[in-house]
Each structure stands twice: as C-alpha cells, then as structure tokens.
Amino acid sequence: MLVVAFVLSLFAGRLVQLQTIESGSYSELAMKQRLQTIDLPAVRGDITDAQGNPLAMTVEARAIFADPFMIKPEKRQGIVNALAPTLGLDPARVMKIISTPDSRFEYLAHGVRPDQARLVMGYKFLGIGTLPEYRRQYPNDSLAAGVIGFVNAEGRGAAGLEYSMNRQLAGSNGWQRVEISPEGQHIPMGEDQKRPPVPGRGVRLTLMRDLQFQAQRAIERQVQATGARSGSVIVMDPRDGRLLALASAPGYDPNDYGKSAVGLWNSPIVHEEYEPGSTGKVVTAAAVLEKGGVRPDTPFTVPDRVKRHDRTFRDSHPHPTQRLTFAGVLATSSNVGTILASEQIQAPTLYQSLRDFGFGERTGVGLPAETPGKLQPPAKWSGTDRYAIAFGQSMTVNALQMASVYATIANGGIRVAPTLVAGTTDDDGTFTAAAKPESRQVISGETARQIRDMLEGVASPEGTAPKARIPGYRVAGKTGTAEIVNPRCGCYDGSGYTASFAGFAPADDPQLVVQVVLQRPKKGSHYGGDAAAPVFKDVMGFALQSRKIPPTGSKPPITKIHARD
C-alpha cells in the first residue's frame, strides 16, 4: 500500500505540474498544433481598353495544398505519381513538400483551373485539399502583350503594366486563422480570426481594342514580309496625348509566357533605343525655321555629298547638284541639304530644340524599362556630331519619343505628354479619371503649320513616301532610313537599317498620328518609304474609318520642291 501510495503521489504531483504550473505552455503548444493560417487572396483588378473590353481579367481558380502530418510515408510515392503529371509539377518538389516534418499546411500549386482541381480531389488522397483563389487570364492572347505584361506564378505582376501598376491592381490579401482537428477537419466553435482581403483597382487604358488588333496584324505581316528583326506601330491622338494603339512584333502569349523569350516580355516601343534617321529632321527644321531665318521656300544648292572637317556626308542616292527649296530638302530627305540648313543655327540651339521636343528624357507613360535615349550636350559633341545629329544620327530615341514629336507638330506646336492610362475603377465600378497630361508650347503655331505643309510634300509623287498616300485624305509625314551602329567597330558597317515612317492625317486638321518602325528589314527595300510607309497607310486608313473621321475636302498646298532663281 505504501508503494501504491508513493506511485499515486508521483502521478498526482505530475498532474498538478501539468494542469497548473505548466498548463499555459502546453495549452499554447496545443493551440499552435491546431491553429492554421489560410491566405485569403484579393481579387486582382481587371485591365480594359477604352471601351471596357477586357485585356486582362481575374477568373476563379483553386490552390492545391497538402497536410504532411496526415500523409503516411508509404502513401507519399503514390501521391507524387498522380499529382506531379496532373499539375505539371516537378515530382521531387512534390515529394519534398508532402514530406515536410511537423507541418499541417503546405501549398502545392496556385492558380489551378477548377476542372484540374476536381480531378485532383477525385483521387481522394488523405491530406490533399483545395482552397478557392483566382488566376489571371488574357482573353485576347498576344494582343497588346508587351503593354499589358503578365502575372507570374507567385501572383505578382512581372512585366508591362501588370508590373508597373502591381500595387493598384493587386489590392491586399487577407487571412483567416482556424482550428484544425488531427483528422484535418475544421473544429466548430474553435478560434476563428479573419482579416478580409481588399480588392485591387481596375485599370482602364486609352487603347482601342479593334485598332490595336489592326495595328498588330499589320506590323506582324510586314515583319514577316521584310524579314525584319522586329517592328512596332503607334497610333496617337495628338490633341490630348491618348495612345490608341501600341503594337509590336514579334509578340508572345501572356497566358503561357514561359514559352517566350524574356526579351519579348516588355514593350520595345519604350525600352528599345535606335537612331531615328530622317524622321528626326523635323526637329532640325523646326529649329531653323524658328531661329535660323529660314523659310520653306529658302533655296539651297545641294550636292550629293559634303565634307565637314575629316568626314564626308552623303545623301542616300548619288545625284547631280540640285537647287532645292528647304521644303524640297525635307520632301526629298536630303542629308546634305539638312546639314546646309542646320548651319544657320548654333549647336546649342539645335540641342535645346531636341530637348524641347522630349529627346533625352523618358516620356513617363508608365511602362517599365523605358529608355530615355542618348543625347549628349554640345560640350561633349565631336567636331562632326552636330551634322549627323541634324539628320537624325549620333543620338538615340525610343519609338514613343519620336511619335510624340510628330504629335507636337500636328497639335500646333503644343507638346502633350503621351498617356496610356485613362483612369482606375473601384470594385463597385466607380471610375476615377487619371490626371490630365502635362502640355507645353514647343514651337509657334505658325512654324508647326509650315512644317505640316512641308511634310505633305513627302507623300507627293516627288517625295520619298508616295506609298503613304490615302485616297481622299491629305497626309503629312516623314520617312526615316537610318544605318545601325555595328557594336564590334562602333561604325556603320553591315549592321542593317532602321526603316521608319511617322505621319498624321488629315494634314490640315490632324486628329491621328501613326508611326511605324522596322528594325533590320532584310527582304526587299530597306528604305522607310518602301518598308514602313505601306503599314502607315494600312493602319491610318483603318483608324480614320473606324474613328469616323471624314476627309476635310480642302486642297493641299503646292509644295515647291525645286528653287527657281
């Protein structure tokens, strides 16, 4: 009896220790074992075009999770053999997750389609379950993929607007803490804390889906037809800076971004820099008209080559010495004539004009990886840089910067910053418009009008881009054919060309600007008037009709190409 009493006293002492002295710590351990935290994902905001058509949307999905505590070791290989191929997961990773020691909850996969989740649950594996969540879907496949971007497997924006506007789109995830029994069941009346998720805001763009589709189809066809490395098309309203289409090729499908090259994920329209070539001559034209005392009918004697310091500059084609007006210099895209005109102003004046038009600084449109281009101040120019810069070489831009230059001329000399985001929407559909873009007067309205009239000569039979003409409409624009610098030697030797065309219509009442850029076309002509101008005609013609913009019915001015002494 004494032995029994002694043993019972030990039991009693242990019970007192467990239930009084150490009860708090054991209760806390038990609660940690039962308590599980479950993420409550926020609904990501949609991205739509200007008319509300979805470009990126959130749809119902499932998360697949494991309770390693419930999975017996002998069952693990069977689970791996079934789930890895069903979910497209690495078998080794699945085995590692379901073998996690002392764990009651581990995610196996996110964004699983509901039909796949039903298949997983049909296996009836103990310790495998699903939770409701969402996944990102792009209903138009590759349409505007470089602009929209995509959401990665972790649910974060990884390219395009999905990346740069991730904070607005994503919202804030919530969480819920619940008590789970050893059998994996939710314990009724147990602790249940919850912080609800905050939905993300929707983003409405200025893009027009039908116009974006037409622009993308046109540039894809021309990239294939010319064997170009890449191409882009921009459609812009010069009056308010709205970007109606931003198309590039080649593209990719954001629904399956892993199968595409990383270099395609963001838009080359802003992240690729290039020398603009002759499309940049309009800035020189603006500077000499404003500051150099030159007029459209000012005559110049133009040979096919001219030597400045130790360098000889040539026109694109050999020709006898010509007597051209300044309007004729622009219409025929003469490098030599542009150099002669540029000598009417000082280098700092030319530099300031380029800066005023936005060269050397980002447009601020909101797309990631935008380059400001390269424009050195005059103090860093070599003896011949000013002459090459005058006709669009020895400096670089992105395509949107150049489109903005032509929008400024079309808008009477007022530069309106390009804008892509029209505004945002709450989860209840309330729309909040974005702030109005900045605007400033870059050149006088009279100078802008003179350049518009001169640019109409480019699309004339005597100009460099008759293929840009649209029946019934007055068209103004400029070709560009720039040699690409060979990185091996830092010279223009065998690296191909950038062919471009930028223009607007109707020329006497500009409402749309279209710019086309093709990098390294290899088949057929590499000149902007041949490779890029037909795409301009295609896209601008469609845009004028779809926007219901009628011809003005006015007669174009007579562009005097050749000077008469």
Side-chain angles (χ1 to χ4, degrees), residues 219 221-232 249 272 274-275 480-484 494-501 516-535:
I219 195 62
R221 288 175 174 174
Q222 193 68 347
V223 165
Q224 184 176 12
T226 61
R229 184 195 67 191
S230 62
S232 66
E272 184 175 70
Y274 67 98
E275 296 190 358
T481 308
E483 291 182 273
I484 298 174
S495 285
Y497 294 84
T498 298
S500 59
F501 184 88
V516 181
V517 179
L518 287 162
Q519 297 291 353
R520 292 192 173 98
K522 297 181 179 66
K523 301 176 184 177
S525 172
H526 61 262
Y527 290 105
D530 296 320
V535 181

Side-chain angles (χ1 to χ4, degrees), residues 153-494:
E154 287 74 38
R156 293 189 295 270
L161 292 174
E162 294 276 32
Y163 171 80
S164 61
M165 300 193 72
N166 186 68
R167 181 175 297 180
Q168 298 94 317
L169 289 163
S172 301
N173 291 337
W175 49 262
Q176 184 176 16
R177 294 193 182 102
V178 297
E179 289 189 60
I180 304 295
S181 72
E183 292 77 28
Q185 301 298 317
H186 182 191
I187 299 175
M189 306 302 291
E191 182 173 340
D192 191 344
Q193 299 177 358
K194 184 177 183 179
R195 186 181 75 181
V198 178
R201 295 179 68 85
V203 174
R204 185 184 300 176
L205 305 183
T206 58
L207 300 182
M208 308 289 290
R209 187 176 63 176
D210 58 341
L211 186 51
Q212 177 74 28
F213 176 81
Q214 180 68 18
Q216 192 159 317
R217 183 172 64 174
I219 195 62
E220 286 173 352
R221 288 175 174 174
Q222 193 68 347
V223 165
Q224 184 176 12
T226 61
R229 184 195 67 191
S230 62
S232 66
V233 177
I234 299 170
V235 183
M236 184 177 179
D237 188 328
R239 299 165 297 181
D240 54 18
R242 287 183 302 137
L243 295 166
L244 307 181
L246 292 174
S248 58
Y252 71 100
D253 184 354
N255 294 298
D256 199 5
Y257 64 86
K259 293 184 177 180
S260 59
V262 175
L264 298 177
W265 288 354
N266 285 309
S267 176
I269 288 173
V270 296
H271 79 68
E272 184 175 70
E273 59 182 286
Y274 67 98
E275 296 190 358
S278 294
T279 54
K281 290 175 181 174
V282 294
V283 180
T284 303
V288 300
L289 288 170
E290 290 255 295
K291 306 290 185 180
V294 174
R295 294 179 49 82
D297 59 357
T298 299
F300 290 92
T301 301
V302 184
D304 68 347
R305 67 193 66 195
V306 65
K307 188 173 183 179
R308 293 293 182 266
H309 300 289
D310 60 344
R311 186 176 173 187
T312 299
F313 298 93
R314 295 177 173 81
D315 280 341
S316 59
H317 298 88
H319 62 77
T321 298
Q322 298 175 309
R323 188 76 169 156
L324 299 175
T325 64
F326 185 50
V329 167
L330 201 62
T332 60
S333 198
S334 170
N335 295 338
V336 173
T338 304
I339 289 173
L340 298 175
S342 73
E343 291 177 323
Q344 307 304 307
I345 58 174
Q346 298 298 315
T349 303
L350 176 60
Y351 172 77
Q352 189 57 52
S353 183
L354 291 163
R355 293 287 296 170
D356 290 343
F357 274 97
F359 288 14
E361 64 181 26
R362 295 177 178 87
T363 65
V365 74
L367 290 172
E370 180 176 3
T371 175
K374 293 184 179 67
L375 177 63
Q376 297 281 7
K380 295 185 177 181
W381 291 0
S382 71
T384 58
D385 278 349
R386 63 161 293 167
Y387 305 111
I389 289 172
F391 59 81
Q393 302 221 233
S394 296
M395 62 175 178
T396 63
V397 297
N398 67 50
L400 189 53
Q401 287 173 324
M402 279 311 307
S404 179
V405 168
Y406 284 82
T408 299
I409 294 168
N411 196 38
I414 300 173
R415 183 181 186 273
V416 182
T419 181
L420 177 60
V421 176
T424 59
T425 55
D426 293 330
D427 57 331
D428 61 359
T430 302
F431 177 72
T432 302
K436 289 186 177 181
E438 295 182 358
S439 63
R440 67 175 187 268
Q441 190 84 39
V442 173
I443 55 175
S444 68
E446 176 60 20
T447 298
R449 183 196 62 77
Q450 290 177 333
I451 295 176
R452 289 203 305 263
D453 290 349
M454 292 164 67
L455 290 178
E456 281 198 75
V458 174
S460 71
E462 292 184 272
T464 57
K467 294 180 180 179
R469 302 174 72 181
I470 300 173
Y473 288 89
R474 290 174 58 180
V475 171
K478 185 72 189 73
T479 56
T481 308
E483 291 182 273
I484 298 174
V485 174
N486 188 330
R488 292 195 300 271
C489 63
C491 60
Y492 300 105
D493 181 21

